[in-house]
């Protein structure tokens, strides 16, 4: 009888330890921030900030053309933040977004041009907010691009960074309308 009681106690103790371990693991897992959809209150403001930054940044102006004098015009879609639980733009340190930009030639070379024939780039980007804001994009090249995605983007937004601009058709329509107006 003593052996049966001992086995019961051992099984009960093992079950308690397992529940504590699983429960503790679940608590740690659920406390780890995940990149949920960006709150609507932040999405538009941060997308506008990313676009304004890129359109004004001298380094981005030569990103696609490698020539001075071109003006980037961009559309974007924010898909992640750091920290993930930010509820105010002032709390955000990094923004992860897809951007689609076209480069307008200098004013004297715009006559007869259309939005469809301009240099363009669609790329995931990380913008580190600060004074000044800084951007980082993956470099082109086999092997380099995937490595840069893994280096630049947090693990839980990499699928979006690898997957392509989900709203590209709508962004193209908006971007072409803006570019066409600027070419007129």
């Amino acid at each position: 009888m003593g052996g049966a009681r001992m086995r019961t106690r051992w099984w009960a103790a093992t079950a308690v330890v397992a529940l504590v371990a699983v429960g503790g693991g679940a608590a740690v897992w659920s406390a780890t921030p995940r990149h949920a959809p960006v709150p609507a209150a932040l999405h538009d403001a941060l997308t506008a900030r990313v676009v304004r930054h890129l359109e004004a940044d001298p380094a981005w102006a030569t990103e696609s053309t490698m020539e001075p004098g071109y003006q980037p015009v961009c559309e974007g879609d924010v898909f992640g933040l750091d920290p993930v639980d930010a509820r105010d733009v002032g709390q955000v340190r990094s923004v992860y977004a897809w951007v689609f930009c076209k480069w307008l030639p200098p004013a004297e070379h715009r006559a007869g041009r259309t939005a469809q024939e301009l240099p363009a780039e669609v790329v995931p980007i990380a913008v580190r907010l600060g004074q000044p804001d800084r951007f980082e994009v993956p470099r082109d090249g086999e092997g380099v691009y995937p490595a840069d995605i893994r280096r630049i983007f947090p693990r839980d937004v990499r699928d979006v960074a690898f997957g392509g601009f989900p709203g590209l058709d709508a962004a193209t329509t908006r971007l072409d309308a803006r570019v066409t107006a600027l070419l007129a």
Side-chain angles (χ1 to χ4, degrees), residues 7 17 21 24 28 31 37 43 46 50 52 56 62 75 79 91 111 128 137 141 149 158 160 164 168 171 179:
R7 276 184 283 220
V17 169
V28 169
H43 183 273
L46 290 170
V50 167
R52 276 193 317 271
T62 59
E75 284 289 326
F79 61 82
Q91 296 173 325
R128 313 297 181 205
V137 295
I149 292 282
R158 284 186 197 143
V160 179
L168 186 57
V179 167

Side-chain angles (χ1 to χ4, degrees), residues 40-72:
L42 296 177
H43 183 273
D44 293 344
L46 290 170
T47 298
R49 183 166 175 174
V50 167
V51 166
R52 276 193 317 271
H53 170 69
L54 293 176
E55 291 180 346
D57 191 295
W60 186 253
T62 59
E63 173 71 18
S64 183
T65 64
M66 306 296 175
E67 298 176 31
Y70 277 75
Q71 172 191 350

Side-chain angles (χ1 to χ4, degrees), residues 54-164:
L54 293 176
E55 291 180 346
D57 191 295
W60 186 253
T62 59
E63 173 71 18
S64 183
T65 64
M66 306 296 175
E67 298 176 31
Y70 277 75
Q71 172 191 350
V73 180
C74 303
E75 284 289 326
D77 186 36
V78 172
F79 61 82
L81 308 172
D82 177 40
V84 298
D85 59 350
R87 295 292 169 245
D88 179 80
V89 172
Q91 296 173 325
V92 179
R93 291 184 303 262
S94 294
V95 178
Y96 308 106
W98 270 97
V99 294
F100 180 24
C101 300
K102 291 191 175 189
W103 277 260
L104 294 171
E108 63 273 10
H109 299 290
R110 292 183 186 175
R113 302 293 292 268
T114 66
Q116 290 72 30
E117 61 190 23
L118 297 178
E121 186 167 352
V122 178
V123 67
I125 190 167
V127 178
R128 313 297 181 205
L129 304 183
Q131 295 299 327
D133 292 347
R134 299 174 345 272
F135 69 86
E136 189 172 12
V137 295
R139 297 167 292 163
D140 285 334
E142 193 174 319
V144 176
Y145 184 85
D148 279 358
I149 292 282
R150 285 188 286 280
R151 180 181 55 78
I152 295 169
F153 296 93
R155 178 171 285 136
D156 41 345
V157 295
R158 284 186 197 143
D159 286 347
V160 179
F162 274 122

